[in-house]
Amino acid sequence: MLIKRQDDIKPSEITNPSLYARRREFLKGGAALALGVALPVGSALGPAYGAAKLSPLTPSRFNTDEELTPYEAITTHNNFYEFGTDKESPAKLADSLRPRPWTVLVDGEVKRPREWDIEDILKQFPLEERIYRLRCVEAWSMVIPWVGISLASFIKAVEPNSNAKYVAFETLVDQEQMPGQRSNLFGFGLNWPYIEGLRIDEATNPLAILGVGLYGEVMPNQNGAPIRLVVPWKYGFKSIKSIVRISFVEQQPVNTWQVQAPREYGFYANVNPQVDHPRWSQGQERRIGDWLKRETLMFNGYGDQVAQLYSGMDLSKNF
Amino acid sequence: MDKRNKAALHMTWVKRAKPVLFVLCLLPVAQLAYAAYRGSLGADPVETLTYATGDWTLRFLLITLAVTPLRYLTGIRSLVQLRRMLGLFAFFHVCLHFLVYVVFDQFFGWRLILEDILERRYIMVGMLGFMSLLPLAITSTDKMLKRLGGKRWRRLHRLAYFAGGCGVIHYLWLVKSDYREPLIYIVILAVLLGYRVVRSTKERRKLQTTSINTI
């Protein structure tokens, strides 16, 4: 009989203590629901004490100094259809995701196709704190202190060739780990795997990062552990979560929401207050924590960094 | 027990049930108010309020529309005495739903609201449903029933089905990909409406044959 020797436990493999501590809150929440009473839930700004920290972190010149959205809100208000279509399900169900061990396959038009271990990615690239605005296509927004690595540096390391015009990203498919993938919602649901894509010059823009944490800690499962895209000038659905594959391709990838509703969601999905969603206005947004809405900024306020990528393009057609 | 006694008995318990039902109907709003007070409406309280008041509008509307079929099926005629209150609770929730939209989504920006209604079909159909409940609420009093006369009043109040239709389509049109809940509401509404239509055609036919027979 072969008995595999257990490797040493890596720090990142240890259950995030704040998540572990919060399991009681879920139980309490369930009990409260049963009684038809809502118990107060602590809304501390910032994570619970003692979570798995990521370090060292280099600060970024792109950081916004706006008020941060509390950790509690960032980790309980999620669109992650792999765990259900409402905002609360990911926080409740994402415990079933196993973010370690984890590999990311890099293939396509690159000199160095390879399967990357998440630990190697964390070791090889410097971690930065990036405090970005996040604007959801549903007209709400947050300010999130991400921890991530520069996507441009990662791309440089894998050496794409000149055929690589686009980068395609894929999320894990595993019905056991992702219960939302079990139902196809009578055929109206999303296709799996969730796919996203960027033009290569978008992907190498200094703003784009691969997020591996937030609030200085490892990425909570419901926010797309262990590694996700963060492109703050685009609507949130572009920032694909729990990535298992990054392919360099010649043709423009067809992203999941574009397949779902081509009239409503395009490939670019740049935040644009002038181009409304067919069903609702994109002119304003509600910052989570506020009661009233505020004006939405062109490119989510990142025009200085990204506007030149789209010069000469008709953004009402390339929405 | 003869028939008249039985009916009288039902009448008394329906009468007694009324205040209990009234308190029960207040529970959803009470729970929201309590959650608001504790600060536990979730990360996006406005969304929570919008969805909860919208859901309860539809639920109360469907419960109201279920009263008459239930009355036919059980034979408890006095159940109709609960219908007005249930209907007014639907109206109460749609008012709250509209208020949340006007205050928190648009902050009294009437021009934007008008634009929203004209440009976005799910808002237009929702508003249409709201508007069609308005005359029903106004004519819900005994006085108005008398003034209109039973026949006209009943005809007017068929608008409740139209409002229900608007409500479920409003919901269906705003969903991004998970149609399960709006479809459940649509099926319930269709069953309730179907029951009334089938029953009234049957009755009309019966009436015709009896009138032919008497000739």
Short mmCIF file of all heavy atoms in Angstrom, two decimals, chain B residues 54-114:
data_model
loop_
_atom_site.label_atom_id
_atom_site.label_comp_id
_atom_site.label_asym_id
_atom_site.label_seq_id
_atom_site.Cartn_x
_atom_site.Cartn_y
_atom_site.Cartn_z
N GLY B 54 -41.22 44.68 -2.87
CA GLY B 54 -41.72 44.18 -4.15
C GLY B 54 -42.26 42.77 -4.01
O GLY B 54 -43.37 42.46 -4.47
N ASP B 55 -41.48 41.90 -3.36
CA ASP B 55 -41.92 40.52 -3.15
C ASP B 55 -43.26 40.48 -2.42
O ASP B 55 -44.16 39.75 -2.80
CB ASP B 55 -40.88 39.76 -2.29
CG ASP B 55 -39.72 39.25 -3.14
OD1 ASP B 55 -39.89 39.18 -4.37
OD2 ASP B 55 -38.67 38.92 -2.57
N TRP B 56 -43.35 41.29 -1.36
CA TRP B 56 -44.58 41.22 -0.55
C TRP B 56 -45.77 41.81 -1.26
O TRP B 56 -46.91 41.40 -1.02
CB TRP B 56 -44.36 41.84 0.83
CG TRP B 56 -43.63 40.87 1.72
CD1 TRP B 56 -42.33 40.91 2.11
CD2 TRP B 56 -44.18 39.66 2.29
NE1 TRP B 56 -42.02 39.81 2.86
CE2 TRP B 56 -43.14 39.04 3.00
CE3 TRP B 56 -45.43 39.05 2.25
CZ2 TRP B 56 -43.33 37.82 3.66
CZ3 TRP B 56 -45.62 37.85 2.92
CH2 TRP B 56 -44.57 37.24 3.62
N THR B 57 -45.54 42.76 -2.16
CA THR B 57 -46.65 43.26 -2.99
C THR B 57 -47.23 42.11 -3.80
O THR B 57 -48.44 41.87 -3.80
CB THR B 57 -46.15 44.36 -3.95
OG1 THR B 57 -45.59 45.43 -3.20
CG2 THR B 57 -47.30 44.88 -4.80
N LEU B 58 -46.34 41.37 -4.47
CA LEU B 58 -46.80 40.26 -5.30
C LEU B 58 -47.48 39.18 -4.45
O LEU B 58 -48.53 38.66 -4.82
CB LEU B 58 -45.61 39.64 -6.04
CG LEU B 58 -45.16 40.38 -7.30
CD1 LEU B 58 -43.95 39.69 -7.90
CD2 LEU B 58 -46.29 40.42 -8.32
N ARG B 59 -46.87 38.88 -3.31
CA ARG B 59 -47.45 37.83 -2.46
C ARG B 59 -48.83 38.22 -1.99
O ARG B 59 -49.77 37.43 -2.07
CB ARG B 59 -46.53 37.56 -1.27
CG ARG B 59 -45.29 36.79 -1.68
CD ARG B 59 -44.29 36.70 -0.55
NE ARG B 59 -42.98 36.33 -1.09
CZ ARG B 59 -41.83 36.59 -0.49
NH1 ARG B 59 -41.82 37.22 0.67
NH2 ARG B 59 -40.70 36.20 -1.04
N PHE B 60 -48.98 39.45 -1.50
CA PHE B 60 -50.29 39.88 -1.01
C PHE B 60 -51.31 39.93 -2.14
O PHE B 60 -52.48 39.58 -1.95
CB PHE B 60 -50.21 41.23 -0.29
CG PHE B 60 -49.81 41.09 1.15
CD1 PHE B 60 -48.58 41.55 1.60
CD2 PHE B 60 -50.67 40.50 2.07
CE1 PHE B 60 -48.21 41.40 2.93
CE2 PHE B 60 -50.30 40.35 3.39
CZ PHE B 60 -49.06 40.81 3.83
N LEU B 61 -50.85 40.34 -3.30
CA LEU B 61 -51.76 40.40 -4.45
C LEU B 61 -52.28 38.99 -4.78
O LEU B 61 -53.47 38.78 -4.99
CB LEU B 61 -51.02 41.00 -5.64
CG LEU B 61 -51.84 41.76 -6.67
CD1 LEU B 61 -52.73 42.79 -6.01
CD2 LEU B 61 -50.90 42.46 -7.66
N LEU B 62 -51.36 38.03 -4.81
CA LEU B 62 -51.75 36.66 -5.14
C LEU B 62 -52.62 36.05 -4.05
O LEU B 62 -53.58 35.34 -4.33
CB LEU B 62 -50.51 35.80 -5.40
CG LEU B 62 -49.69 36.19 -6.64
CD1 LEU B 62 -48.48 35.29 -6.79
CD2 LEU B 62 -50.55 36.10 -7.90
N ILE B 63 -52.29 36.35 -2.79
CA ILE B 63 -53.12 35.85 -1.68
C ILE B 63 -54.53 36.42 -1.81
O ILE B 63 -55.53 35.72 -1.66
CB ILE B 63 -52.50 36.23 -0.32
CG1 ILE B 63 -51.19 35.47 -0.10
CG2 ILE B 63 -53.47 35.92 0.82
CD1 ILE B 63 -50.37 35.95 1.09
N THR B 64 -54.62 37.72 -2.14
CA THR B 64 -55.92 38.36 -2.30
C THR B 64 -56.72 37.69 -3.40
O THR B 64 -57.91 37.41 -3.26
CB THR B 64 -55.72 39.85 -2.64
OG1 THR B 64 -54.82 40.43 -1.70
CG2 THR B 64 -57.04 40.59 -2.59
N LEU B 65 -56.03 37.41 -4.52
CA LEU B 65 -56.72 36.80 -5.65
C LEU B 65 -57.08 35.34 -5.37
O LEU B 65 -57.90 34.76 -6.08
CB LEU B 65 -55.85 36.89 -6.91
CG LEU B 65 -55.63 38.31 -7.44
CD1 LEU B 65 -54.68 38.31 -8.63
CD2 LEU B 65 -56.97 38.94 -7.83
N ALA B 66 -56.47 34.76 -4.35
CA ALA B 66 -56.77 33.37 -4.01
C ALA B 66 -58.00 33.25 -3.12
O ALA B 66 -58.55 32.16 -2.95
CB ALA B 66 -55.57 32.73 -3.33
N VAL B 67 -58.45 34.39 -2.57
CA VAL B 67 -59.55 34.32 -1.59
C VAL B 67 -60.82 33.77 -2.23
O VAL B 67 -61.45 32.85 -1.69
CB VAL B 67 -59.80 35.72 -0.97
CG1 VAL B 67 -61.10 35.72 -0.19
CG2 VAL B 67 -58.64 36.09 -0.05
N THR B 68 -61.18 34.30 -3.40
CA THR B 68 -62.44 33.87 -4.01
C THR B 68 -62.41 32.39 -4.42
O THR B 68 -63.35 31.66 -4.09
CB THR B 68 -62.79 34.79 -5.20
OG1 THR B 68 -62.84 36.13 -4.69
CG2 THR B 68 -64.12 34.43 -5.81
N PRO B 69 -61.36 31.94 -5.10
CA PRO B 69 -61.30 30.50 -5.38
C PRO B 69 -61.38 29.66 -4.10
O PRO B 69 -62.07 28.64 -4.06
CB PRO B 69 -59.93 30.33 -6.05
CG PRO B 69 -59.65 31.64 -6.68
CD PRO B 69 -60.27 32.66 -5.77
N LEU B 70 -60.70 30.12 -3.07
CA LEU B 70 -60.70 29.39 -1.81
C LEU B 70 -62.12 29.32 -1.24
O LEU B 70 -62.56 28.30 -0.69
CB LEU B 70 -59.77 30.11 -0.82
CG LEU B 70 -59.18 29.23 0.27
CD1 LEU B 70 -58.23 28.20 -0.34
CD2 LEU B 70 -58.42 30.09 1.29
N ARG B 71 -62.82 30.42 -1.41
CA ARG B 71 -64.19 30.51 -0.92
C ARG B 71 -65.07 29.51 -1.67
O ARG B 71 -65.88 28.80 -1.07
CB ARG B 71 -64.63 31.94 -1.18
CG ARG B 71 -65.96 32.29 -0.66
CD ARG B 71 -66.21 33.76 -0.99
NE ARG B 71 -67.56 33.90 -1.48
CZ ARG B 71 -67.93 34.82 -2.35
NH1 ARG B 71 -67.03 35.66 -2.85
NH2 ARG B 71 -69.17 34.91 -2.71
N TYR B 72 -64.90 29.41 -2.97
CA TYR B 72 -65.68 28.44 -3.73
C TYR B 72 -65.33 27.01 -3.34
O TYR B 72 -66.19 26.17 -3.20
CB TYR B 72 -65.41 28.60 -5.24
CG TYR B 72 -65.98 29.87 -5.84
CD1 TYR B 72 -65.26 30.59 -6.79
CD2 TYR B 72 -67.23 30.35 -5.44
CE1 TYR B 72 -65.76 31.74 -7.35
CE2 TYR B 72 -67.74 31.52 -6.00
CZ TYR B 72 -67.00 32.21 -6.94
OH TYR B 72 -67.50 33.35 -7.49
N LEU B 73 -64.04 26.78 -3.18
CA LEU B 73 -63.58 25.41 -2.92
C LEU B 73 -64.00 24.93 -1.53
O LEU B 73 -64.32 23.76 -1.35
CB LEU B 73 -62.06 25.31 -3.07
CG LEU B 73 -61.54 25.46 -4.50
CD1 LEU B 73 -60.02 25.56 -4.53
CD2 LEU B 73 -62.00 24.28 -5.37
N THR B 74 -63.96 25.84 -0.55
CA THR B 74 -64.27 25.42 0.82
C THR B 74 -65.75 25.61 1.14
O THR B 74 -66.25 25.04 2.10
CB THR B 74 -63.47 26.22 1.84
OG1 THR B 74 -63.80 27.61 1.67
CG2 THR B 74 -61.98 26.02 1.68
N GLY B 75 -66.41 26.44 0.38
CA GLY B 75 -67.80 26.75 0.68
C GLY B 75 -67.97 27.75 1.82
O GLY B 75 -69.07 28.03 2.25
N ILE B 76 -66.84 28.27 2.33
CA ILE B 76 -66.93 29.25 3.42
C ILE B 76 -67.09 30.63 2.80
O ILE B 76 -66.12 31.29 2.44
CB ILE B 76 -65.69 29.19 4.33
CG1 ILE B 76 -65.48 27.77 4.85
CG2 ILE B 76 -65.84 30.17 5.49
CD1 ILE B 76 -64.20 27.57 5.61
N ARG B 77 -68.32 31.07 2.69
CA ARG B 77 -68.59 32.30 1.94
C ARG B 77 -68.06 33.54 2.64
O ARG B 77 -67.69 34.51 2.00
CB ARG B 77 -70.10 32.45 1.71
CG ARG B 77 -70.66 31.23 0.98
CD ARG B 77 -72.09 31.45 0.62
NE ARG B 77 -72.23 32.66 -0.20
CZ ARG B 77 -73.31 32.96 -0.89
NH1 ARG B 77 -74.34 32.15 -0.85
NH2 ARG B 77 -73.37 34.06 -1.60
N SER B 78 -68.00 33.50 3.96
CA SER B 78 -67.61 34.71 4.69
C SER B 78 -66.13 35.04 4.54
O SER B 78 -65.68 36.10 4.95
CB SER B 78 -67.97 34.58 6.16
OG SER B 78 -67.64 33.30 6.64
N LEU B 79 -65.37 34.12 3.93
CA LEU B 79 -63.94 34.41 3.68
C LEU B 79 -63.75 35.72 2.92
O LEU B 79 -62.74 36.41 3.06
CB LEU B 79 -63.31 33.28 2.86
CG LEU B 79 -62.81 32.05 3.61
CD1 LEU B 79 -62.23 31.06 2.62
CD2 LEU B 79 -61.77 32.44 4.64
N VAL B 80 -64.77 36.06 2.12
CA VAL B 80 -64.68 37.27 1.30
C VAL B 80 -64.46 38.51 2.17
O VAL B 80 -63.91 39.51 1.72
CB VAL B 80 -65.93 37.41 0.42
CG1 VAL B 80 -67.15 37.82 1.23
CG2 VAL B 80 -65.65 38.38 -0.72
N GLN B 81 -64.83 38.41 3.44
CA GLN B 81 -64.65 39.55 4.32
C GLN B 81 -63.18 39.86 4.60
O GLN B 81 -62.85 40.92 5.12
CB GLN B 81 -65.37 39.29 5.66
CG GLN B 81 -66.86 39.26 5.48
CD GLN B 81 -67.56 39.06 6.79
OE1 GLN B 81 -66.95 39.19 7.84
NE2 GLN B 81 -68.84 38.75 6.73
N LEU B 82 -62.30 38.90 4.30
CA LEU B 82 -60.87 39.14 4.54
C LEU B 82 -60.20 39.74 3.31
O LEU B 82 -59.07 40.21 3.38
CB LEU B 82 -60.17 37.82 4.90
CG LEU B 82 -60.74 37.07 6.09
CD1 LEU B 82 -60.02 35.74 6.26
CD2 LEU B 82 -60.60 37.91 7.36
N ARG B 83 -60.90 39.71 2.19
CA ARG B 83 -60.26 40.04 0.92
C ARG B 83 -59.80 41.50 0.85
O ARG B 83 -58.69 41.79 0.42
CB ARG B 83 -61.22 39.73 -0.23
CG ARG B 83 -60.53 39.67 -1.57
CD ARG B 83 -61.46 39.20 -2.65
NE ARG B 83 -62.64 40.04 -2.72
CZ ARG B 83 -63.66 39.82 -3.57
NH1 ARG B 83 -63.62 38.80 -4.39
NH2 ARG B 83 -64.69 40.63 -3.58
N ARG B 84 -60.67 42.41 1.30
CA ARG B 84 -60.33 43.83 1.19
C ARG B 84 -59.04 44.14 1.96
O ARG B 84 -58.15 44.82 1.45
CB ARG B 84 -61.47 44.68 1.73
CG ARG B 84 -61.05 46.13 1.89
CD ARG B 84 -62.21 47.05 2.11
NE ARG B 84 -63.07 46.62 3.20
CZ ARG B 84 -64.29 47.10 3.40
NH1 ARG B 84 -64.81 47.98 2.57
NH2 ARG B 84 -65.00 46.68 4.43
N MET B 85 -58.96 43.60 3.17
CA MET B 85 -57.78 43.89 3.98
C MET B 85 -56.50 43.38 3.29
O MET B 85 -55.49 44.08 3.22
CB MET B 85 -57.92 43.24 5.34
CG MET B 85 -56.86 43.67 6.31
SD MET B 85 -57.19 43.02 7.95
CE MET B 85 -56.66 41.36 7.76
N LEU B 86 -56.58 42.17 2.75
CA LEU B 86 -55.40 41.60 2.08
C LEU B 86 -55.02 42.45 0.87
O LEU B 86 -53.84 42.73 0.64
CB LEU B 86 -55.70 40.17 1.67
CG LEU B 86 -55.80 39.18 2.84
CD1 LEU B 86 -56.43 37.87 2.39
CD2 LEU B 86 -54.42 38.93 3.44
N GLY B 87 -56.04 42.86 0.13
CA GLY B 87 -55.78 43.69 -1.05
C GLY B 87 -55.14 45.01 -0.66
O GLY B 87 -54.21 45.50 -1.33
N LEU B 88 -55.63 45.59 0.43
CA LEU B 88 -55.05 46.86 0.86
C LEU B 88 -53.61 46.68 1.36
O LEU B 88 -52.79 47.60 1.25
CB LEU B 88 -55.92 47.51 1.94
CG LEU B 88 -57.21 48.14 1.39
CD1 LEU B 88 -58.12 48.59 2.52
CD2 LEU B 88 -56.90 49.32 0.46
N PHE B 89 -53.30 45.51 1.87
CA PHE B 89 -51.90 45.26 2.25
C PHE B 89 -51.01 45.18 1.02
O PHE B 89 -49.86 45.62 1.04
CB PHE B 89 -51.79 43.99 3.10
CG PHE B 89 -51.81 44.28 4.58
CD1 PHE B 89 -52.93 43.99 5.35
CD2 PHE B 89 -50.73 44.89 5.20
CE1 PHE B 89 -52.96 44.29 6.70
CE2 PHE B 89 -50.75 45.18 6.55
CZ PHE B 89 -51.88 44.89 7.31
N ALA B 90 -51.53 44.62 -0.06
CA ALA B 90 -50.77 44.62 -1.32
C ALA B 90 -50.51 46.06 -1.73
O ALA B 90 -49.38 46.43 -2.09
CB ALA B 90 -51.55 43.88 -2.41
N PHE B 91 -51.55 46.89 -1.64
CA PHE B 91 -51.42 48.29 -2.02
C PHE B 91 -50.41 49.01 -1.10
O PHE B 91 -49.58 49.80 -1.56
CB PHE B 91 -52.78 48.98 -1.96
CG PHE B 91 -52.73 50.41 -2.42
CD1 PHE B 91 -52.47 50.72 -3.74
CD2 PHE B 91 -52.92 51.45 -1.52
CE1 PHE B 91 -52.41 52.04 -4.17
CE2 PHE B 91 -52.86 52.77 -1.94
CZ PHE B 91 -52.61 53.06 -3.26
N PHE B 92 -50.48 48.71 0.18
CA PHE B 92 -49.56 49.30 1.15
C PHE B 92 -48.11 48.97 0.77
O PHE B 92 -47.24 49.86 0.76
CB PHE B 92 -49.90 48.73 2.54
CG PHE B 92 -48.92 49.06 3.63
CD1 PHE B 92 -48.61 50.37 3.94
CD2 PHE B 92 -48.32 48.04 4.36
CE1 PHE B 92 -47.73 50.67 4.96
CE2 PHE B 92 -47.43 48.32 5.38
CZ PHE B 92 -47.12 49.64 5.68
N HIS B 93 -47.86 47.73 0.41
CA HIS B 93 -46.48 47.34 0.07
C HIS B 93 -46.01 47.95 -1.24
O HIS B 93 -44.84 48.30 -1.39
CB HIS B 93 -46.34 45.82 0.06
CG HIS B 93 -46.25 45.24 1.43
ND1 HIS B 93 -47.35 44.90 2.17
CD2 HIS B 93 -45.18 45.00 2.23
CE1 HIS B 93 -46.98 44.45 3.36
NE2 HIS B 93 -45.66 44.50 3.42
N VAL B 94 -46.93 48.09 -2.21
CA VAL B 94 -46.50 48.69 -3.47
C VAL B 94 -46.20 50.18 -3.26
O VAL B 94 -45.29 50.73 -3.87
CB VAL B 94 -47.52 48.46 -4.61
CG1 VAL B 94 -48.69 49.41 -4.55
CG2 VAL B 94 -46.82 48.57 -5.96
N CYS B 95 -46.93 50.81 -2.34
CA CYS B 95 -46.63 52.21 -2.01
C CYS B 95 -45.22 52.33 -1.40
O CYS B 95 -44.45 53.22 -1.75
CB CYS B 95 -47.66 52.78 -1.04
SG CYS B 95 -49.27 53.06 -1.80
N LEU B 96 -44.91 51.41 -0.49
CA LEU B 96 -43.57 51.42 0.12
C LEU B 96 -42.50 51.20 -0.95
O LEU B 96 -41.46 51.86 -0.97
CB LEU B 96 -43.46 50.34 1.19
CG LEU B 96 -44.29 50.54 2.46
CD1 LEU B 96 -44.10 49.35 3.40
CD2 LEU B 96 -43.89 51.83 3.16
N HIS B 97 -42.78 50.24 -1.84
CA HIS B 97 -41.86 49.90 -2.92
C HIS B 97 -41.58 51.14 -3.78
O HIS B 97 -40.42 51.47 -4.07
CB HIS B 97 -42.54 48.81 -3.76
CG HIS B 97 -41.68 48.17 -4.81
ND1 HIS B 97 -40.55 47.44 -4.51
CD2 HIS B 97 -41.81 48.10 -6.17
CE1 HIS B 97 -40.03 46.97 -5.63
NE2 HIS B 97 -40.76 47.38 -6.66
N PHE B 98 -42.65 51.85 -4.13
CA PHE B 98 -42.53 53.06 -4.94
C PHE B 98 -41.77 54.14 -4.17
O PHE B 98 -40.92 54.85 -4.72
CB PHE B 98 -43.94 53.54 -5.32
CG PHE B 98 -43.94 54.79 -6.16
CD1 PHE B 98 -43.46 54.78 -7.46
CD2 PHE B 98 -44.43 55.98 -5.64
CE1 PHE B 98 -43.47 55.93 -8.23
CE2 PHE B 98 -44.43 57.15 -6.40
CZ PHE B 98 -43.95 57.12 -7.69
N LEU B 99 -42.07 54.26 -2.89
CA LEU B 99 -41.43 55.27 -2.05
C LEU B 99 -39.91 55.03 -1.96
O LEU B 99 -39.12 55.97 -2.06
CB LEU B 99 -42.04 55.20 -0.65
CG LEU B 99 -42.05 56.50 0.14
CD1 LEU B 99 -42.95 57.52 -0.53
CD2 LEU B 99 -42.51 56.24 1.57
N VAL B 100 -39.51 53.79 -1.79
CA VAL B 100 -38.08 53.46 -1.74
C VAL B 100 -37.41 53.89 -3.04
O VAL B 100 -36.33 54.48 -3.04
CB VAL B 100 -37.86 51.94 -1.50
CG1 VAL B 100 -36.39 51.58 -1.67
CG2 VAL B 100 -38.33 51.55 -0.11
N TYR B 101 -38.08 53.61 -4.15
CA TYR B 101 -37.55 53.99 -5.47
C TYR B 101 -37.43 55.51 -5.59
O TYR B 101 -36.38 56.04 -5.98
CB TYR B 101 -38.47 53.42 -6.56
CG TYR B 101 -38.23 53.98 -7.94
CD1 TYR B 101 -37.12 53.59 -8.68
CD2 TYR B 101 -39.11 54.91 -8.51
CE1 TYR B 101 -36.90 54.09 -9.95
CE2 TYR B 101 -38.90 55.41 -9.78
CZ TYR B 101 -37.78 55.02 -10.49
OH TYR B 101 -37.55 55.52 -11.74
N VAL B 102 -38.50 56.22 -5.21
CA VAL B 102 -38.50 57.68 -5.37
C VAL B 102 -37.46 58.33 -4.45
O VAL B 102 -36.73 59.23 -4.88
CB VAL B 102 -39.91 58.26 -5.07
CG1 VAL B 102 -39.85 59.77 -4.95
CG2 VAL B 102 -40.87 57.85 -6.16
N VAL B 103 -37.35 57.86 -3.23
CA VAL B 103 -36.45 58.51 -2.28
C VAL B 103 -35.00 58.06 -2.49
O VAL B 103 -34.12 58.90 -2.69
CB VAL B 103 -36.88 58.22 -0.82
CG1 VAL B 103 -35.89 58.85 0.15
CG2 VAL B 103 -38.29 58.74 -0.58
N PHE B 104 -34.75 56.76 -2.49
CA PHE B 104 -33.36 56.31 -2.46
C PHE B 104 -32.76 56.10 -3.85
O PHE B 104 -31.57 56.31 -4.03
CB PHE B 104 -33.24 55.02 -1.64
CG PHE B 104 -33.59 55.22 -0.20
CD1 PHE B 104 -34.64 54.51 0.37
CD2 PHE B 104 -32.92 56.16 0.57
CE1 PHE B 104 -34.98 54.71 1.69
CE2 PHE B 104 -33.26 56.36 1.89
CZ PHE B 104 -34.30 55.64 2.45
N ASP B 105 -33.57 55.66 -4.80
CA ASP B 105 -33.01 55.46 -6.14
C ASP B 105 -32.91 56.76 -6.91
O ASP B 105 -31.96 56.99 -7.64
CB ASP B 105 -33.84 54.45 -6.93
CG ASP B 105 -33.41 53.03 -6.63
OD1 ASP B 105 -32.24 52.85 -6.24
OD2 ASP B 105 -34.22 52.10 -6.78
N GLN B 106 -33.91 57.63 -6.77
CA GLN B 106 -33.94 58.84 -7.60
C GLN B 106 -33.89 60.13 -6.79
O GLN B 106 -33.77 61.20 -7.38
CB GLN B 106 -35.19 58.84 -8.49
CG GLN B 106 -35.35 57.62 -9.39
CD GLN B 106 -34.33 57.58 -10.51
OE1 GLN B 106 -33.39 58.37 -10.54
NE2 GLN B 106 -34.50 56.64 -11.43
N PHE B 107 -34.02 60.03 -5.48
CA PHE B 107 -34.07 61.18 -4.60
C PHE B 107 -34.94 62.32 -5.18
O PHE B 107 -34.48 63.43 -5.42
CB PHE B 107 -32.66 61.70 -4.26
CG PHE B 107 -32.68 62.58 -3.05
CD1 PHE B 107 -33.10 62.10 -1.82
CD2 PHE B 107 -32.31 63.91 -3.14
CE1 PHE B 107 -33.15 62.92 -0.71
CE2 PHE B 107 -32.36 64.74 -2.03
CZ PHE B 107 -32.78 64.23 -0.82
N PHE B 108 -36.20 62.01 -5.41
CA PHE B 108 -37.22 62.96 -5.86
C PHE B 108 -36.85 63.63 -7.19
O PHE B 108 -37.36 64.70 -7.49
CB PHE B 108 -37.49 64.03 -4.80
CG PHE B 108 -37.83 63.46 -3.45
CD1 PHE B 108 -36.88 63.41 -2.44
CD2 PHE B 108 -39.09 62.93 -3.21
CE1 PHE B 108 -37.19 62.86 -1.20
CE2 PHE B 108 -39.39 62.38 -1.97
CZ PHE B 108 -38.45 62.34 -0.96
N GLY B 109 -36.00 63.00 -7.97
CA GLY B 109 -35.68 63.56 -9.29
C GLY B 109 -36.79 63.20 -10.27
O GLY B 109 -36.68 62.23 -11.00
N TRP B 110 -37.83 64.03 -10.27
CA TRP B 110 -39.05 63.65 -11.02
C TRP B 110 -38.79 63.54 -12.51
O TRP B 110 -39.40 62.73 -13.20
CB TRP B 110 -40.18 64.64 -10.72
CG TRP B 110 -40.53 64.63 -9.27
CD1 TRP B 110 -40.25 65.60 -8.35
CD2 TRP B 110 -41.17 63.56 -8.53
NE1 TRP B 110 -40.67 65.21 -7.10
CE2 TRP B 110 -41.24 63.98 -7.18
CE3 TRP B 110 -41.68 62.31 -8.89
CZ2 TRP B 110 -41.81 63.19 -6.19
CZ3 TRP B 110 -42.24 61.52 -7.89
CH2 TRP B 110 -42.30 61.96 -6.57
N ARG B 111 -37.86 64.38 -13.01
CA ARG B 111 -37.56 64.32 -14.43
C ARG B 111 -36.91 62.96 -14.77
O ARG B 111 -37.27 62.31 -15.74
CB ARG B 111 -36.62 65.47 -14.80
CG ARG B 111 -36.67 65.90 -16.26
CD ARG B 111 -35.69 67.04 -16.52
NE ARG B 111 -34.34 66.70 -16.07
CZ ARG B 111 -33.49 65.94 -16.77
NH1 ARG B 111 -33.83 65.48 -17.95
NH2 ARG B 111 -32.29 65.64 -16.29
N LEU B 112 -35.97 62.57 -13.90
CA LEU B 112 -35.31 61.27 -14.11
C LEU B 112 -36.31 60.12 -13.97
O LEU B 112 -36.23 59.13 -14.69
CB LEU B 112 -34.18 61.10 -13.08
CG LEU B 112 -32.85 61.77 -13.41
CD1 LEU B 112 -31.87 61.58 -12.27
CD2 LEU B 112 -32.28 61.18 -14.70
N ILE B 113 -37.24 60.29 -13.04
CA ILE B 113 -38.24 59.24 -12.83
C ILE B 113 -39.09 59.09 -14.09
O ILE B 113 -39.34 57.97 -14.56
CB ILE B 113 -39.11 59.57 -11.60
CG1 ILE B 113 -38.27 59.43 -10.33
CG2 ILE B 113 -40.34 58.66 -11.54
CD1 ILE B 113 -38.94 59.90 -9.07
N LEU B 114 -39.49 60.23 -14.64
CA LEU B 114 -40.30 60.20 -15.86
C LEU B 114 -39.54 59.52 -17.00
O LEU B 114 -40.06 58.67 -17.72
CB LEU B 114 -40.69 61.63 -16.25
CG LEU B 114 -41.81 61.72 -17.28
CD1 LEU B 114 -43.13 61.26 -16.68
CD2 LEU B 114 -41.94 63.15 -17.81
#
